Amino acid sequence: MERIRTTMLLFACLLYALPAIGQPGSVRGRATEAGTVDPVPTAVVVLTSQESGRSQGGYTDERGNYLIENIPSGQYTLSVSQVGYRKLVREGISIAAGQTLTLDVELEPQQIIIDGVVVTASRGSQKVLEAPASVSVVDARQIAANPALTPTDHLKTTAGVDIARTGLLQQNVVVRGFNNVFSGTLMMLTDNRMAGVPSLRLNAPYLIPLADDDIDYIEVVRGPGSALYGPNAANGVVNMITKSPFSSQGTSLSLAFGERSVFQTSVRHAQKLSSSIGVKISGLYFRGTDWSYTDPVEDEVRKAALAAGARADTLKIGKREELVERFGGEARVDLLLTEKLGVIFTAGLNRLRSGIEMTDIGSAQGKDWTYTYLQGRLSYGDAFVQAFLNSSNAGDTYLLRTGNPIVDRSSQFVAQAQHSMRLGEIQRFVYGADYIYTKPVTDGTINGSFEQSDNVSEYGGYLQSETQLFGGNIELVLAGRYDRHSQLNDPIFSPRAGLVWKSWEKQSVRLTYNKAYATPTSTELFLDIQGHPNPFGFPSPYEIQLRAIGVPKSGYKFERDASGAPFFYSPFAPSRTSGFPTNTISLLWPAVVQILAAQGVDISRIPAPQLNQIRPTMGLLNTETQSFVPVADVYDLNALDPTITETIEIGYKGALGTKLQLGVDLYRSEIKNFIAPLMNFTPNVFMNGGDVKAYLKPYIKGALMQQGVPEAQAEAMAEAQSTQIGTAVGRIPLGTVTPKGVTDPTAIYLSSRSYGKVNVAGLDLWADYRLNNQWSFSTTYSHVNRDYFDKLQGIEDVALNAPRNKWSLGVEYQRQDLGLQASLKYRGSSRFRMHSGVYDGFVAPADFFDLTVGYRLRNLQGLGVTLSAQNLANKKHQYFIGAPRIGRLVLAKISYSL
């Protein structure tokens, strides 16, 4: 009957509106959330002709309105979809020539875990359920409901993600462990652009110029991804997708303020200039007072410099600024040149006016550090091409333990091309190529002697096959990638294989194998920098400095004598560049006599011992505790190889009934050529305190007896004095065992090292339960079987620098009719050992409660107020050794869209 009425209506229109014949029609309407008047912005609206199959469409704006024009008359199917809502489909829509049809729609909210669409897992649109990887998505609704100071704040309770917070904005983010204080092991993308600092490969969230209002959603892919993404995606990928000006027109403003003098404001404006041109501009500003921390090494060196006559107002050593300030912005132009051809140009800038960042050799005071980028993207049908240039300028940044400047004017140029092709309904190929050129420019402040040979070129290609088997119930994924790196000797091949079994509706089981790789970073290859000018406090000219170095292609070899004793170099020797075998340590007896004399102990009348009378000992300086770890030998540093991660993973994700959604991933990774963070590999050399005691005792006893002291008393006095002197002498670092080729042979050197093999197994679990339209519950749990590896290859301890266990529980309450939303989340982690660069110690277990309450004013559309309290109970926690203890942060946010 309805179809008859529609037909009669169309016939009447033809009779009485003949001038409209042949003119195209249009459809307009508004998308709202079911049961409310809240708009659903950025929803995709598509009209598909039932006769020709041709589709045309658009997006809803900030108020949920959409308009599709130039529609030929005919029968159509309307589909409306948005991440976080159930897809709506209406068939049998009739559009007459010249008609403007109004179709309002209501979208039903739902959790996006199963039905959401992702692009990161396979570099192409794909449902989460069907993706051949472990994927989580944080959508725009979740982002809007939780005020954040950086984009990565939204990942705090995402399964498998480790976040070590070291300040208001500073964070080290990785997936599935192996974190450190200067971390870049996670591939972090913004709109498919690598978002790390170019040559340092540092993921600094405060240098990503993104405001919450501009983020559409965030995808997290756990596990290796090198087959499609190339180098340095061995642990996972985080891709932050921003909103298109076509899908999110209008202006949005936000203002946040709270504890620690936090003030943050952002603005975003997007506008469609025509049917083919859209523009967007956004900006943000942040200011706050960071948590304070006193570094004992900085404090000691600063006091020594002041005592030597340095001016307190100009001395940079230990000059920390608790003010954190940054600003940034982005401009974007979208061009829809044809139905298939689209071009996007983006430019962005972010500047850290002031803030502290931890490094492997101590913290740095950031001053006017600027990060800029230019990006161009072109898509034509199934083809995608992009190029971008990331640039970094460290401004007036300096190291806090030395006061030395940090110069970084580095850049990275990347060009990528990809195409996909379908063969029928069951076969799809994705193939492409990448080129990466990284150019560090540090004026010798970071890369020192390597400054003229530190450019890196990387290029590679890949092919992925996706085959639908057994009527689409099983998908077979096979992929391979080939890469070359200008600083590595051999090419790298990365295979990938996976089976996805869509066993029941909205449920799938996945079995995957991935072999991924991570190339050594520029700092691991080319670092040459001072970390401490004089850790032992020796007077000039006897200083022994602490330095950090990269490992060149030739590696580092220790020189040895015929007996196998390694050579050491001493500032107390006639020449700092002349080495001695460690078994000739007694040659430095005159230096010991001089050092003891300065302390009021005179042993100048005792003859020097013979070479074989005093044995050497060696110990590695623990830069955090200032103690020495005894070692028996030294080990050459071979050239660094790429870290190869082979992972076998089985996963399940699905909806159990209409309320519960669940995901479980079990994985085992074998990591070969694992590159550990900077560690001391050059031990200091000491005289054996017991040998010194044994040598001195008879001389001291004889001298006492010559003075008339009875033998028994002389024996006791000689025993005490020789023990005291022997212990003191045994603690004097007389030199350093260093390899050939270093710039200062007497210095202590920190460097990276490739280890043979590390095995890690783990579990990631998440679950969401929606009781009704008002109450929902969520939980996550992640576990790894090991967080510390003792004496790898008999050389060094290596830490995961992340907890073995972490978990979260959450409850959310929402009343859309009242505009009210509230959530309470509990998150915790277990105790773990940290060993990264100059930092070593234990990080305590943690547990926090986070509370968020939001309210959208019903009588003033577009206005919302949110109050959040992170670490509600104010439990002070030190996420990393060397970082401040971080407590509660209460924020209030006001947002308005128009």
Side-chain angles (χ1 to χ4, degrees):
M1 180 63 69
E2 183 62 29
R3 180 165 295 184
I4 294 174
R5 291 176 179 171
T6 303
T7 304
M8 292 177 64
L9 177 61
L10 289 173
F11 183 70
C13 290
L14 287 173
L15 290 177
Y16 293 100
L18 288 176
I21 293 177
Q23 296 181 3
S26 61
V27 176
R28 67 171 67 246
R30 186 167 186 261
T32 57
E33 190 168 298
T36 76
V37 295
D38 291 339
V40 179
T42 73
V44 180
V45 184
V46 177
L47 272 178
T48 303
S49 171
Q50 296 179 1
E51 290 87 5
S52 66
R54 181 178 179 271
S55 296
Q56 56 191 118
Y59 299 89
T60 58
D61 61 18
E62 289 295 323
R63 297 183 180 276
N65 298 317
Y66 71 91
L67 173 63
I68 305 173
E69 299 177 300
N70 299 317
I71 306 171
S73 60
Q75 295 289 313
Y76 288 86
T77 297
L78 174 76
S79 67
V80 184
S81 59
Q82 169 61 302
V83 176
Y85 295 87
R86 189 178 302 279
K87 184 176 182 179
L88 182 145
V89 177
R90 288 186 184 176
E91 297 181 345
I93 296 174
S94 298
I95 300 178
Q99 177 188 15
T100 298
L101 184 65
T102 299
L103 289 175
D104 294 333
V105 296
E106 292 188 349
L107 299 183
E108 181 182 346
Q110 71 167 15
Q111 293 161 301
I112 54 105
I113 299 164
I114 300 303
D115 286 338
V117 175
V118 297
V119 298
T120 307
S122 291
R123 270 195 167 181
S125 297
Q126 193 171 37
K127 285 190 175 182
V128 174
L129 183 69
E130 300 170 356
S134 178
V135 183
S136 292
V137 181
V138 182
D139 68 11
R141 293 174 67 245
Q142 294 170 296
I143 292 169
N146 294 281
L149 302 182
T150 68
T152 50
D153 280 338
H154 297 294
L155 306 179
K156 287 185 299 185
T157 58
T158 302
V161 178
D162 294 294
I163 298 179
R165 188 165 192 165
T166 58
L168 279 171
L169 301 179
Q170 306 91 312
Q171 297 172 348
N172 292 285
V173 185
V174 296
V175 172
R176 293 179 175 175
F178 287 109
N179 208 341
N180 59 66
V181 298
F182 208 65
S183 179
T185 59
L186 173 68
M187 176 169 280
M188 192 170 289
L189 307 174
T190 301
D191 290 330
N192 294 306
R193 177 186 58 83
M194 298 174 187
V197 178
S199 65
L200 303 178
R201 202 188 295 170
L202 167 68
N203 290 326
Y206 52 80
L207 290 179
I208 301 175
L210 288 181
D212 282 354
D213 294 340
D214 201 26
I215 303 175
D216 199 2
Y217 57 97
I218 303 174
E219 296 176 358
V220 180
V221 180
R222 290 173 284 267
S226 286
L228 291 181
Y229 284 91
N232 316 315
N235 285 28
V237 179
V238 169
N239 195 2
M240 290 166 280
I241 310 297
T242 63
K243 298 174 181 177
S244 164
F246 285 108
S247 63
S248 55
Q249 298 176 58
T251 302
S252 59
L253 307 167
S254 71
L255 175 68
F257 52 91
E259 289 185 302
R260 311 207 62 79
S261 303
V262 165
F263 173 81
Q264 178 170 280
T265 184
S266 67
V267 59
R268 178 187 185 276
H269 176 75
Q271 184 175 353
K272 186 168 69 170
L273 300 181
S274 69
S275 60
S276 59
I277 302 176
V279 296
K280 179 189 73 174
I281 186 169
S282 61
L284 62 86
Y285 173 80
F286 172 88
R287 185 185 68 241
T289 303
D290 224 329
W291 287 272
S292 61
Y293 176 73
T294 300
D295 186 313
V297 176
E298 293 173 24
D299 193 48
E300 176 187 346
V301 179
R302 182 176 180 84
K303 288 177 180 178
L306 292 173
R311 289 178 50 186
D313 58 337
T314 59
L315 182 64
K316 291 184 176 180
I317 296 173
K319 186 180 180 181
R320 287 177 169 245
E321 298 183 14
E322 294 182 356
L323 173 67
V324 183
E325 187 177 17
R326 70 150 176 164
F327 64 84
E330 181 178 278
R332 169 172 162 173
V333 178
D334 287 27
L335 304 175
L336 300 179
L337 303 178
T338 68
E339 288 186 15
K340 291 185 177 181
L341 179 60
V343 180
I344 301 174
F345 296 102
T346 308
L349 175 147
N350 200 64
R351 172 171 287 189
L352 180 71
R353 294 288 300 273
S354 176
I356 295 174
E357 178 64 50
M358 295 178 66
T359 80
D360 284 324
I361 56 172
S363 294
Q365 176 65 58
K367 296 286 292 183
D368 291 323
W369 194 309
T370 304
Y371 176 81
T372 59
Y373 60 88
L374 297 170
Q375 181 185 20
R377 291 176 279 168
L378 182 149
S379 59
Y380 181 79
D382 294 324
F384 173 77
V385 178
Q386 77 165 352
F388 57 85
L389 176 68
N390 295 333
S391 302
S392 170
N393 189 324
D396 296 322
T397 299
Y398 56 89
L399 286 169
L400 284 162
R401 289 188 174 188
T402 65
N404 293 335
I406 293 294
V407 175
D408 179 53
R409 297 192 306 276
S410 303
S411 61
Q412 182 180 64
F413 173 77
V414 179
Q416 298 173 316
Q418 178 185 286
H419 185 258
S420 64
M421 177 177 62
R422 288 192 177 276
L423 300 178
E425 296 294 326
I426 66 170
Q427 182 63 48
R428 177 176 181 258
F429 291 102
V430 181
Y431 47 93
D434 304 286
Y435 172 73
I436 305 171
Y437 179 71
T438 304
K439 183 180 180 181
V441 178
T442 73
D443 292 355
T445 62
I446 299 177
N447 290 356
S449 58
F450 297 108
E451 189 70 37
Q452 302 305 315
S453 58
D454 54 2
N455 295 344
V456 173
S457 295
E458 302 171 75
Y459 54 90
Y462 57 89
L463 170 66
Q464 176 164 296
S465 167
E466 302 167 7
T467 307
Q468 304 294 325
L469 304 174
F470 302 103
N473 290 327
I474 294 180
E475 181 181 30
L476 172 65
V477 178
L478 299 172
R481 183 182 180 94
Y482 178 90
D483 285 276
R484 301 258 352 175
H485 187 287
S486 62
Q487 296 292 331
L488 302 178
N489 295 320
D490 300 318
I492 309 163
F493 177 69
S494 304
R496 179 190 194 192
L499 278 174
V500 180
W501 177 35
K502 290 162 276 188
S503 51
W504 301 278
E505 184 182 2
K506 294 192 177 181
Q507 297 188 63
S508 70
V509 177
R510 169 178 42 85
L511 176 64
T512 57
Y513 165 80
N514 284 275
K515 184 178 181 181
Y517 72 98
T519 58
T521 66
S522 291
T523 54
E524 290 167 347
L525 291 170
F526 310 120
L527 189 66
D528 186 7
I529 190 172
Q530 184 188 73
H532 195 303
N534 189 12
F536 303 133
F538 289 150
S540 178
Y542 304 113
E543 300 94 340
I544 296 178
Q545 66 172 314
L546 175 73
R547 297 189 68 85
I549 55 171
V551 184
K553 281 185 176 182
S554 58
Y556 289 110
K557 307 293 183 183
F558 287 95
E559 186 179 4
R560 299 176 185 269
D561 68 2
S563 68
F567 277 61
F568 77 99
Y569 298 81
S570 173
F572 302 103
S575 171
R576 299 176 73 109
T577 59
S578 298
F580 304 88
T582 53
N583 52 21
T584 63
I585 187 71
S586 56
L587 292 175
L588 292 180
W589 186 259
V592 171
V593 174
Q594 181 181 353
I595 292 171
L596 291 178
Q599 299 176 1
V601 178
D602 184 9
I603 60 170
S604 59
R605 298 180 182 179
I606 298 176
Q610 300 298 314
L611 290 181
N612 59 354
Q613 286 186 281
I614 296 180
R615 295 167 295 173
T617 62
M618 295 189 296
L620 288 168
L621 175 66
N622 182 314
T623 52
E624 182 68 23
T625 63
Q626 298 298 299
S627 61
F628 291 90
V629 180
V631 294
D633 203 354
V634 291
Y635 303 90
D636 294 339
L637 257 67
N638 297 322
L640 299 178
D641 293 317
T643 299
I644 306 298
T645 302
E646 291 189 76
T647 299
I648 296 177
E649 182 169 341
I650 184 170
Y652 164 83
K653 47 195 169 187
L656 304 178
T658 60
K659 298 180 179 296
L660 177 64
Q661 299 187 54
L662 176 69
V664 182
D665 299 306
L666 293 167
Y667 63 92
R668 183 185 185 277
S669 295
E670 182 180 86
I671 307 172
K672 300 176 183 177
N673 302 323
F674 171 74
I675 300 178
L678 290 178
M679 296 180 183
N680 183 5
F681 77 105
T682 54
N684 292 104
V685 183
F686 308 80
M687 289 186 178
N688 184 289
D691 290 352
V692 173
K693 171 194 170 182
Y695 177 73
L696 291 177
K697 182 177 177 180
Y699 290 101
I700 295 175
K701 180 179 177 180
L704 290 171
M705 291 180 66
Q706 288 180 1
Q707 297 174 12
V709 178
E711 181 177 1
Q713 186 178 356
E715 171 72 19
M717 292 176 65
E719 172 72 17
Q721 291 181 25
S722 63
T723 299
Q724 184 178 7
I725 295 173
T727 300
V729 171
R731 293 174 178 172
I732 301 173
L734 295 172
T736 314
V737 180
T738 52
K740 294 182 289 185
V742 295
T743 53
D744 181 357
T746 65
I748 301 167
Y749 281 95
L750 308 180
S751 189
S752 301
R753 183 189 293 273
S754 291
Y755 292 93
K757 185 169 63 175
V758 173
N759 292 317
V760 176
L763 161 73
D764 291 318
L765 177 149
W766 53 260
D768 289 85
Y769 180 76
R770 184 174 292 275
L771 180 64
N772 51 42
N773 289 335
Q774 297 177 1
W775 291 95
S776 61
F777 305 87
S778 62
T779 184
T780 64
Y781 174 70
S782 294
H783 168 79
V784 290
N785 64 329
R786 299 182 67 182
D787 61 1
Y788 200 74
F789 304 87
D790 299 298
K791 294 296 179 185
L792 282 181
Q793 296 181 318
I795 301 174
E796 183 61 82
D797 298 341
V798 174
L800 189 71
N801 293 324
R804 290 183 62 187
N805 300 285
K806 56 183 179 294
W807 55 89
S808 71
L809 296 170
V811 57
E812 181 177 338
Y813 175 79
Q814 58 180 352
R815 285 287 301 272
Q816 295 292 342
D817 56 328
L818 300 179
L820 177 66
Q821 182 173 359
S823 67
L824 178 65
K825 294 181 179 180
Y826 167 73
R827 50 191 171 94
S829 59
S830 57
R831 178 178 186 260
F832 65 92
R833 173 76 180 272
M834 179 183 168
H835 190 23
S836 179
V838 298
Y839 302 105
D840 193 357
F842 285 93
V843 174
D847 62 308
F848 309 109
F849 283 96
D850 299 333
L851 176 65
T852 302
V853 179
Y855 179 67
R856 295 182 63 86
L857 277 70
R858 312 304 295 171
N859 57 349
L860 188 55
Q861 187 176 330
L863 181 63
V865 179
T866 307
L867 180 68
S868 72
Q870 303 175 34
N871 188 0
L872 183 62
N874 197 26
K875 293 185 176 181
K876 298 292 182 65
H877 181 67
Q878 187 180 39
Y879 288 82
F880 265 179
I881 303 300
R885 297 176 68 237
I886 294 176
R888 183 188 59 219
L889 182 64
V890 176
L891 295 175
K893 179 180 178 181
I894 302 172
S895 58
Y896 182 61
S897 298
L898 61 144

